[in-house]
Amino acid sequence: MSMADGTISADPGAAIEGIENDDEAYAMVDEDAALSSGSDDGQDARTPPRFVLADANSFFASCETVFDPSLAGRPVVVLSNNDGCVVARSAEAKRLGIINGTPWFKIREQAMHDHVVARSSNYELYASLSHRMMSVMRNFLPDQEVYSIDECFLRATGEDEALRNTCSDMRAAVLKGVGIPVSVGVAPSKTLAKISNHWAKQHSGNGGITLWNHIDRKHGDEALASVPIDDIWGVGRRLTRKLMGMGITNALQLRDADPVMIRHRFSVMLERTVLELRGVPCIEADSDANGGVRKSQILCSRMFSSPVTGFETLAQALSVYAQQACHRLRRQHGLCARVAAFSSTSPYRQNYTRISGSVVLDDPSDSPIIIAKAACDALRPYVDPHAQYIRAGVLLLGLSQADSYHTLEGFEASRDEHELGSTIEDISRRFGPRHVGIGYGGMRGGGHQDADTGAQWTMRRDMLSGRCTTRWDELAVVHAR
């Protein structure tokens, strides 16, 4: 059902289905055009630009080791929100057979027997070290495109030996300056750079750096044939099943597939993957990744550490999440026209309930007061006072840029005229997140473990390490012995 009219949805996931993938309008890709667009004007044809993918090794686990050297060489796992499931593993933990997504309670006893160290997700530390890592790497190669918290694409030209030396210097600088080990893959396309990067991680004898032309020259088609279809960048679970049904089970078979057939049966995006596997660069830079800009939606969603009952308590969480979403909106100088909210009970219990609703704002806004109120109003009619909700989220929709929003006089955007949002952000930058906020969003719990509010529903992180780079009271202490 539509969220625009504020009606209840049978599935909050369905209520937002299709919103996250609304950028499917792509131009047809011509192989010759893609080849010509992949090189800069005046660039020597003998040394075409190549893509460099730098990806941190076991990033979350590596971050935990930076300020706790005793973890080096030990099996380390990082857990999801509320210390639920394994989301990251060190190389030693992988060798023990621990799989991502495994509930921690199921393997806790065996993990303790194997001397596995578990840590709660320390998002503040990871984001800080990621920023430092990216800053170091952009000094070595140009056109950095930050793809995720632990990996980025860069552009490079030159002969293989000089390029390998540059990548080696970059890896050494990151390891020395930040403490994070990085693997590097170099290839004529982003998809092949991804495969080269995985190759670098799997083959320790290459010094953490792999050039695709070396792999291709030494192993030929066997290299792509060894890559399962579900390990290819951009091929998800649904596509994997469909492709395997056609007999396409590895990267080599997808590379040799007819691009026109792939486009007609699937999408232009998968056709681009076929061309990329042939060494044709045709995936454009993602400006959203660099600046954290969201063009279609901004979502803030969390699971509660303990069930929430009643609208008043649920509204507390919605207020906090709305203000977090609003912070992201203001950071990209945006406005939103519609605010949606959703919540659900545990799917493993009887009377499973999922609710969602939305409110269309009178005028696009970036005001935390207006957005927080709209998020609460969106769910108010549908909350069962006896239901035990374990998850909630706030979604900002109808995004536009504040600088480019123009309309008739009297129909201007509802801007934050009193600069309340800016004041909250200034205080947060100086004293830390959530020392001040609107309503319940400004209440903060005490103690090292708390990073949100003092409520019982706030995220549980019982094995949280120190946030050494973002909090004065948690700075690392060095002892001279």
Side-chain angles (χ1 to χ4, degrees), residues 77-81 83-88 104 118-121 123 463:
V77 297
V78 178
L79 306 179
S80 62
N81 292 349
D83 296 338
C85 300
V86 175
V87 294
W104 173 242
R119 290 285 185 264
S120 302
S121 293
Y123 302 116
M463 294 170 280

Side-chain angles (χ1 to χ4, degrees), residues 23-31 33-34 263 267-272 275 282-284:
D23 53 348
E24 295 181 359
Y26 292 98
M28 302 287 284
V29 178
D30 179 81
E31 187 164 345
R263 181 180 68 238
S267 67
V268 173
M269 288 300 295
L270 191 59
E271 179 198 19
R272 290 184 173 187
L275 297 179
C282 53
I283 295 179
E284 298 176 355

Side-chain angles (χ1 to χ4, degrees), residues 399-437:
L399 305 186
S400 60
Q401 286 298 112
D403 295 339
S404 60
Y405 181 80
H406 301 290
T407 186
L408 298 175
E409 184 177 353
F411 295 91
E412 296 85 0
S414 299
R415 302 299 302 274
D416 184 11
E417 297 178 355
H418 301 291
E419 297 295 329
L420 180 60
S422 298
T423 302
I424 292 175
E425 291 168 12
D426 290 342
I427 295 173
S428 297
R429 276 193 294 268
R430 181 172 181 179
F431 298 103
R434 285 169 289 285
H435 272 78
V436 66

Side-chain angles (χ1 to χ4, degrees), residues 109-360:
E109 291 187 8
Q110 182 62 42
M112 293 177 63
H113 178 269
D114 294 333
H115 304 289
V116 175
V117 179
R119 290 285 185 264
S120 302
S121 293
N122 192 337
Y123 302 116
E124 298 93 331
L125 177 66
Y126 307 155
S128 174
L129 294 183
S130 171
H131 178 74
R132 298 180 186 205
M133 180 178 71
M134 300 302 174
S135 296
V136 172
M137 290 193 290
R138 73 170 60 100
N139 292 326
F140 287 85
L141 292 168
D143 301 328
Q144 185 183 56
E145 178 190 343
V146 179
Y147 179 69
S148 67
I149 192 172
D150 63 341
E151 59 185 328
C152 69
F153 288 104
L154 303 113
R155 297 291 291 274
T157 57
E159 300 299 331
D160 289 354
E161 183 176 355
L163 180 53
R164 175 177 284 277
N165 290 337
T166 299
C167 292
S168 179
D169 292 342
M170 180 176 69
R171 291 184 71 248
V174 172
L175 186 61
K176 181 179 180 180
V178 188
I180 303 294
V182 172
S183 294
V184 179
V186 183
S189 69
K190 288 183 177 180
T191 302
L192 288 178
K194 279 270 192 179
I195 294 175
S196 301
N197 188 281
H198 287 303
W199 192 279
K201 292 183 177 181
Q202 295 169 358
H203 300 79
S204 57
N206 54 28
I209 303 169
T210 299
L211 279 66
W212 173 253
N213 55 352
H214 291 183
I215 300 174
D216 192 39
R217 190 160 52 239
K218 184 176 181 180
H219 300 281
D221 288 348
E222 292 181 5
L224 286 180
S226 68
V227 180
I229 192 69
D230 55 345
D231 281 352
I232 301 174
W233 185 37
V235 178
R237 190 177 304 171
R238 284 189 302 175
L239 284 179
T240 295
R241 291 195 297 266
K242 294 179 180 179
L243 289 170
M244 291 182 71
M246 297 171 56
I248 300 176
T249 61
N250 58 51
L252 177 64
Q253 292 171 332
L254 183 60
R255 184 202 69 180
D256 294 339
D258 180 7
V260 177
M261 179 274 293
I262 291 293
R263 181 180 68 238
H264 287 313
R265 295 195 61 169
F266 297 97
S267 67
V268 173
M269 288 300 295
L270 191 59
E271 179 198 19
R272 290 184 173 187
T273 299
V274 173
L275 297 179
E276 288 258 327
L277 290 172
R278 299 179 181 183
V280 181
C282 53
I283 295 179
E284 298 176 355
D286 184 2
S287 60
D288 285 6
N290 270 317
V293 177
R294 297 293 179 263
K295 297 180 180 179
S296 59
Q297 65 175 18
I298 293 176
L299 172 66
C300 183
S301 174
R302 298 285 188 274
M303 289 190 65
F304 305 137
S305 59
S306 58
V308 164
T309 303
F311 173 76
E312 293 300 325
T313 307
L314 186 59
Q316 295 174 359
L318 293 175
S319 174
V320 173
Y321 301 160
Q323 289 175 69
Q324 292 175 1
C326 187
H327 170 72
R328 300 177 193 173
L329 179 70
R330 294 176 59 84
R331 188 173 59 191
Q332 66 183 48
H333 307 290
L335 303 170
C336 80
R338 184 155 61 98
V339 180
F342 59 89
S343 185
S344 65
T345 61
S346 172
Y348 303 106
R349 295 191 175 186
Q350 293 182 345
N351 301 321
Y352 175 43
T353 302
R354 295 175 289 183
I355 57 174
S356 65
S358 73
V359 171
V360 178

Side-chain angles (χ1 to χ4, degrees), residues 63-82:
C63 288
E64 295 292 341
T65 306
V66 170
F67 291 101
D68 188 355
S70 68
L71 298 180
R74 298 176 62 185
V76 178
V77 297
V78 178
L79 306 179
S80 62
N81 292 349
N82 299 314

